[in-house]
Amino acid sequence: MRKLVLLGGGYGNMRILLRLLPNNLPQDVEITLIDRTPFHSMKTEFYALAAGTEADHEVRVDFPEHEKLKIVNGEILEIGIEEKCIFMDGGQRIEFDELVIGLGCEDKYHNVPGADQYTYSIQTIGQSRQTYQALLSLPSNAVVGIVGAGLSGIELASELRESREDLQIKLFDRSPRILRDFPERLSNFVKKWFDTHNVEVVSNSNITKVEPNLLYNHEETIPVDAVVWTAGIQPVKPVRDLGLESDASGRVVINQYHQLPAHDNVYVVGDCAALPMAPSAQLAEEQAEQIVKVLKMRWRGEELPETMPEIKLKGFLGSLGKKQGFAYLADRTVTGRIARLMKSGVLWMYKWHNG
């Protein structure tokens, strides 16, 4: 029996499962999915879990069930590419013929002293739960610093404002304006929302050190009661430990078939893969579609095409609380209630298609 092993139950590998099961898996192939949790977590919604505006069960869906799918829960210690084996915490070894690495990312602290010790995270569902507990227990008028004003930081700051009107929220942005790589209209809309809802955006910031209850921004010290880090990501440690060729962000270099150049039985999907676009759930799913096509062709013994179709993303959707949002789709900016309804619709459809 041929063994396909999927590392991580994120957006990419979830799409692979749904495309292969129940009827598109050859009789001689079985799948093992390895993940630390027994369900698929919707990482794009972790900000709401951390802010306390969505319950745990609202940000997860079950993995599909099939007689040829085995789910293993646990921590991965080492990925043995040469040995064709995954080494698990507790001594378990899982062999593979084909492997898809979709383990996602963790926070990148950019060598800022104290950042890894004294900040909270929303990278995993477990970390998001811990962040929720920390923010929930803060007294009225406490100061929350959110370091990083990308999509995650923006959505967390706005959702936290709706959840806790009594908190002081400071959002630290390295750029001179919010979402500087996108149209100014989009930036102005988000900034106006923050101004109206009393969220302080600290532009041109540079966090150089984190201490308990203290942030260093350039030479200034800012008292805080809690800090959430959303200022960059990197592949998880088992992937970094492989020592593979990577880009400036540490993401693994792959060929046009999403394979490791020296190992055509190993694929990389999602946040770990070096691609021209920024990591996103949408990108992981588009990669997964192509990986499934490559796997099917290889299983049938067919020659792979010389090139693969270019991945084209539709854009992105962001929320500002439960009533307002923003979007950048097909080079067009959409803001306000319509954008928020669009995001809610996409989330509903995702849950519906994933059972």
Side-chain angles (χ1 to χ4, degrees), residues 125-167:
I125 193 168
Q127 290 172 327
S128 300
R129 289 169 179 151
Q130 293 172 356
T131 300
Y132 164 69
Q133 292 293 336
L135 298 179
L136 176 70
S137 63
L138 290 174
S140 182
N141 211 39
V143 179
V144 177
I146 299 174
V147 180
L151 188 58
S152 295
I154 289 171
E155 292 189 308
L156 176 61
S158 60
E159 206 79 5
L160 184 59
R161 167 50 71 228
E162 292 203 345
S163 174
R164 292 286 306 269
E165 294 183 0
D166 59 320
L167 295 177

Side-chain angles (χ1 to χ4, degrees), residues 218-287:
H218 296 285
E219 303 302 321
E220 179 187 9
T221 56
I222 302 172
V224 289
D225 295 284
V227 179
V228 185
W229 192 270
T230 62
I233 58 173
Q234 62 183 344
V236 296
K237 188 176 185 298
V239 175
R240 299 200 309 273
D241 288 346
L242 290 172
L244 299 168
E245 182 183 359
S246 60
D247 64 9
S249 300
R251 297 185 295 171
V252 176
V253 171
I254 54 177
N255 63 18
Q256 68 267 38
Y257 309 114
H258 310 283
Q259 303 161 332
L260 297 182
H263 299 274
D264 63 4
N265 66 323
V266 180
Y267 304 78
V268 185
V269 67
D271 296 347
C272 295
L275 290 168
M277 302 80 96
S280 68
Q282 184 183 166
L283 177 58
E285 290 178 333
E286 291 300 318
Q287 268 193 282

